[in-house]
Amino acid sequence: MMERIIVKGNNKLKGSVKISSAKNSVLPIIAASLLCHEKCIIDDVPDLDDVKVMCSVLDSLGANISMDIKKGTIEVRDGALKLLEPPYELVKKMRASFLVLGPLLAKYGKARISMPGGCNIGSRPIDLHLKGFNLLGAEINLGHGYVEAECKKLKGNKIYLDFPSVGATENIMMAAVLAEGETVIENAAEEPEIVDLANFLNRMGANILGAGTDTIRIQGVKELKGTVHQPIPDRIEAGTYMVAAAITKSDLIIENVIVEHVRSIIAKLEECGVKVLEVPGGVRVIGAESPKPVDIKTLPYPGFPTDMQAQFMSYLCTVPGTSIITETVFENRFMHVNELKRMGANIKIDGRSAVVEGVERLSGAVVHATDLRAGACLVLAGLVADGITVIEDIHHLDRGYVDIVGKMRSIGADITRE
């Protein structure tokens, strides 16, 4: 029997909710721990399916990895890996599995991995990863759904990314830390998760400058050592609860937020008339009684995150007037629109834009989470819909939100999982 989430609408939220560590920081950091023989400890790790898959990937390679769910810590000691090819069953579950390629190539000189899986939100080609490895001196062979990479010794080089891809920036950065000489990544992704990974690598003894800007310089070192690291809070989880406060017109405190990381979300909420106040270690969000429509365009960081587009659309469905959301990052990221329409939303798709006409009320319905963020968007819509909303295919939510039902219940939502 598949699990589902049931939401009864029209409850005010109150109190405070604590944000977990960022999934998109933790996954590359786990992969990066393969780069040294000593023990790495990652603290405050979120209890998520994606994290468990990444641990299984390392375990399958022969790394000594243990996860203590209660404490929220992961310990990794690579030892000498038995395999340099993670099993297809694990890689197809999650795109981030591909992030082990850089560390394996840098440390062992070769790796083989199947083409990655993950949420079906559009093409996320791996050509930028491979272009970077190629420029570092690796020989790449593609065939039968696999990527094989091999090199005697990686050598630093100048690498220009055609698009500031987060995954490619991370993978190339991890490969380059043990390469000979200097590597310069131009048009690099600037996301906070890149900075977090660079901080982790620098703690291990890497020499990385410029993370968080569009040019990253990496001076190769001979070896890395073990370290202890606590990842940054999850800005997308924070944004989701900020929108929860806005859509329910509630007053909510969201703890464990780095305000700088959610500036673009705050800007759009304030444009709608929502009050966002900085409080020690977080933000207080007070929903607007008469919110105003806004236009949103998703962009790489520091622009508005594509990972918040679906959640914000739920909110705009309830805001009087016309809002336009333009998706520039992924071409297949409006799959939640049909589900919102089942709840009475008025949305028209025009190419890469969605025209959202606010409606007076959404109605509860049986809907499907088509991907991770679509799942969150349907939970938010359910919070304000008349009647009962039943969300199916909720395994997507378990990939990126720690106990969303428990956290929502703790702030007054009428939500259960069965």
Side-chain angles (χ1 to χ4, degrees):
M1 179 70 184
M2 297 295 277
E3 287 188 281
R4 51 197 200 156
I5 286 174
I6 294 161
V7 192
K8 286 184 188 159
N10 294 320
N11 274 8
K12 284 273 194 196
L13 305 180
K14 61 186 181 300
S16 65
V17 62
K18 190 177 179 199
I19 298 306
S20 303
S21 292
K23 164 184 100 100
N24 291 337
S25 254
V26 173
L27 300 177
I29 285 168
I30 295 172
S33 59
L34 288 172
L35 284 160
C36 76
H37 284 304
E38 295 177 15
K39 184 162 69 176
C40 290
I41 298 172
I42 310 159
D43 284 328
D44 206 17
V45 174
D47 181 10
L48 296 170
D49 284 358
D50 274 11
V51 173
K52 289 167 191 159
V53 171
M54 192 56 121
C55 289
S56 299
V57 167
L58 265 65
D59 185 56
S60 74
L61 297 170
N64 296 319
I65 181 160
S66 59
M67 181 175 182
D68 186 327
I69 302 274
K70 277 202 174 75
K71 280 192 194 161
T73 58
I74 288 177
E75 291 189 9
V76 186
R77 190 195 293 272
D78 123 347
L81 295 188
K82 298 173 186 69
L83 278 176
L84 299 176
E85 178 186 334
Y88 167 73
E89 290 67 41
L90 291 173
V91 178
K92 74 173 182 185
K93 282 185 184 175
M94 185 183 71
R95 192 175 173 77
S97 316
F98 201 71
L99 291 172
V100 298
L101 194 57
L104 291 178
L105 194 54
K107 187 128 175 277
Y108 295 95
K110 62 178 180 180
R112 184 174 190 262
I113 190 165
S114 60
M115 297 293 193
C119 271
N120 182 23
I121 54 176
S123 86
R124 296 189 275 181
I126 52 168
D127 54 346
L128 295 177
H129 301 239
L130 303 184
K131 171 186 167 180
F133 296 148
N134 203 233
L135 285 165
L136 293 174
E139 206 173 286
I140 309 286
N141 288 308
L142 298 176
H144 307 296
Y146 277 84
V147 177
E148 286 185 32
E150 205 165 332
C151 66
K152 281 200 170 65
K153 176 72 180 161
L154 295 177
K155 290 189 164 55
N157 203 345
K158 190 176 273 195
I159 299 164
Y160 175 82
L161 297 179
D162 300 325
F163 176 82
S165 154
V166 174
T169 302
E170 290 168 342
N171 228 341
I172 294 164
M173 194 158 76
M174 290 187 283
V177 290
L178 294 178
E180 273 175 19
E182 187 183 55
T183 300
V184 181
I185 308 172
E186 295 179 330
N187 197 30
E190 299 176 28
E191 271 72 0
E193 293 80 10
I194 303 280
V195 180
D196 204 18
L197 175 61
N199 288 342
F200 176 69
L201 291 167
N202 283 339
R203 279 184 140 148
M204 292 169 79
N207 184 349
I208 303 170
L209 295 171
T213 74
D214 64 358
T215 305
I216 300 175
R217 293 177 184 279
I218 303 150
Q219 202 68 44
V221 296
K222 283 227 166 10
E223 60 175 9
L224 297 176
K225 58 185 191 303
T227 190
V228 179
H229 185 79
Q230 180 166 335
I232 56 173
D234 194 317
R235 62 197 168 97
I236 305 302
E237 189 193 15
T240 301
Y241 285 98
M242 289 162 74
V243 173
I247 198 169
T248 57
K249 299 181 177 174
S250 300
D251 183 343
L252 201 57
I253 288 172
I254 297 141
E255 298 171 353
N256 195 30
V257 181
I258 298 174
V259 176
E260 207 44 58
H261 295 173
V262 290
R263 287 273 177 226
S264 60
I265 302 165
I266 291 173
K268 286 297 163 189
L269 285 170
E270 288 181 337
E271 243 182 90
C272 289
V274 176
K275 267 195 189 141
V276 183
L277 310 169
E278 290 187 36
V279 297
V283 289
R284 179 181 171 196
V285 181
I286 305 164
E289 285 306 319
S290 308
K292 300 186 260 318
V294 297
D295 291 348
I296 286 173
K297 185 179 193 179
T298 65
L299 288 165
Y301 188 86
F304 190 88
T306 178
D307 277 356
M308 277 302 301
Q309 178 257 105
Q311 300 91 305
F312 222 96
M313 189 183 286
S314 286
Y315 179 39
L316 295 177
C317 287
T318 69
V319 173
T322 307
S323 300
I324 297 170
I325 298 176
T326 304
E327 174 59 65
T328 75
V329 182
F330 294 127
E331 74 277 9
N332 198 19
R333 207 150 200 190
F334 285 142
M335 296 199 300
H336 49 279
V337 167
N338 284 336
E339 303 306 308
L340 286 170
K341 282 172 145 178
R342 290 163 78 94
M343 299 177 73
N346 182 353
I347 307 164
K348 288 185 181 65
I349 301 290
D350 181 7
R352 284 206 154 192
S353 293
V355 181
V356 184
E357 294 285 349
V359 295
E360 205 162 297
R361 304 241 37 102
L362 292 173
S363 310
V366 177
V367 288
H368 295 266
T370 51
D371 61 69
L372 167 56
R373 306 306 171 185
C377 119
L378 296 171
V379 170
L380 295 175
L383 293 176
V384 289
D386 284 338
I388 292 173
T389 302
V390 178
I391 303 157
E392 300 188 329
D393 297 326
I394 59 168
H395 60 276
H396 290 295
L397 276 162
D398 296 334
R399 291 186 45 231
Y401 287 92
V402 175
D403 189 17
I404 192 167
V405 169
K407 285 189 181 186
M408 284 287 184
R409 282 174 76 90
S410 76
I411 50 176
D414 189 339
I415 181 170
T416 51
R417 182 175 181 139
E418 62 174 37

